[in-house]
Amino acid sequence: MSTLAAVGPGDIPVLAALHAESFPDEPWGEAAIAEILAMPGAFGFLADADAGAPAGFLLALDLGAECEVLALGVRPALRRRGLGRQLVAQVLAVAAGRAVHLEVAEDNAAALPLYLSAGFRVVGRRADYYRRRDGAAAAAVLLRHGAPA
Ligand SMILES: CC(C)(COP(=O)(O)OP(=O)(O)OC[C@H]1O[C@@H](n2cnc3c(N)ncnc32)[C@H](O)[C@@H]1OP(=O)(O)O)[C@@H](O)C(=O)NCCC(=O)NCCS
């Protein structure tokens, strides 16, 4: 288990670094992270590794009736230790029974089983939603936890 801390504006550099490690094809950068954190309802968490260094993050929006997960990532060297599952459990705790939704690439062999085992269910699919660096398109699966759409 890791300690989770709520993110704030002072975490923008570390969030950008973690995002770049998790999504090397499409790093959001500090400006984009700052815009997200400035959005009404934005919240998130940082997970610490054993040595206390940031190991993973989750960014989300509280939309009132429901929450949306915007991004989730764990440093590659620290995966498969339960940090992703812990971050997802925390956003479900904040949602407190409200629906939580997100989009994930259909071919994301790590995130899909994580979300499905956490109780998310597939509620839709968007073809050609993601465009990869090599130009290839990938579908997004829409997942929802909790109250029906
Ligand atoms: C998805 C991600 C956050 C998972 O983080 P993690 O800390 O490794 O996840 P956990 O250790 O909590 O794994 C929980 C469960 O998810 C599933 N899972 C995680 N990684 C997996 C993999 N590589 N292959 C298959 N299943 C996997 C397993 O069911 C796992 O449970 P188990 O270890 O008991 O088998 C991480 O792989 C990551 O940062 N990926 C790149 C960014 C990304 O794709 N983010 C999600 C986009 S929405």
Side-chain angles (χ1 to χ4, degrees), residues 102-107 112 121-130 137-144:
L102 58 86
E103 286 141 9
V104 60
E106 193 173 53
D107 60 358
L112 257 179
R121 64 191 185 283
V122 177
V123 294
R125 180 180 187 274
R126 289 182 184 160
D128 301 337
Y129 187 74
Y130 299 105
V141 177
L142 311 186
L143 298 179
R144 177 172 289 264

Side-chain angles (χ1 to χ4, degrees), residues 2 28 35 46 65 78 84 109 129 135:
S2 154
W28 283 352
E35 276 182 36
L46 279 171
L78 299 169
Y129 187 74

Side-chain angles (χ1 to χ4, degrees), residues 21-23 57 69-76 78-87 102-105 108-115 117 130:
E21 268 197 279
S22 291
F23 303 95
F57 75 102
V69 176
L70 301 176
L72 163 71
V74 172
R75 296 185 68 188
L78 299 169
R79 290 178 185 164
R80 297 310 288 265
R81 297 183 182 195
L83 293 177
R85 191 184 294 287
Q86 196 180 344
L87 286 158
L102 58 86
E103 286 141 9
V104 60
N108 191 327
L112 257 179
L114 165 56
Y115 290 128
S117 67
Y130 299 105

Side-chain angles (χ1 to χ4, degrees), residues 61-67 98:
L61 280 180
D62 187 330
L63 301 165
E66 59 187 31
C67 294
R98 292 176 294 161

Side-chain angles (χ1 to χ4, degrees), residues 4 10 16 29 36 67 73 75 80 91 94 116 125 127 136:
L4 299 188
I36 287 169
C67 294
R75 296 185 68 188
R80 297 310 288 265
V91 78
V94 169
L116 293 175
R125 180 180 187 274

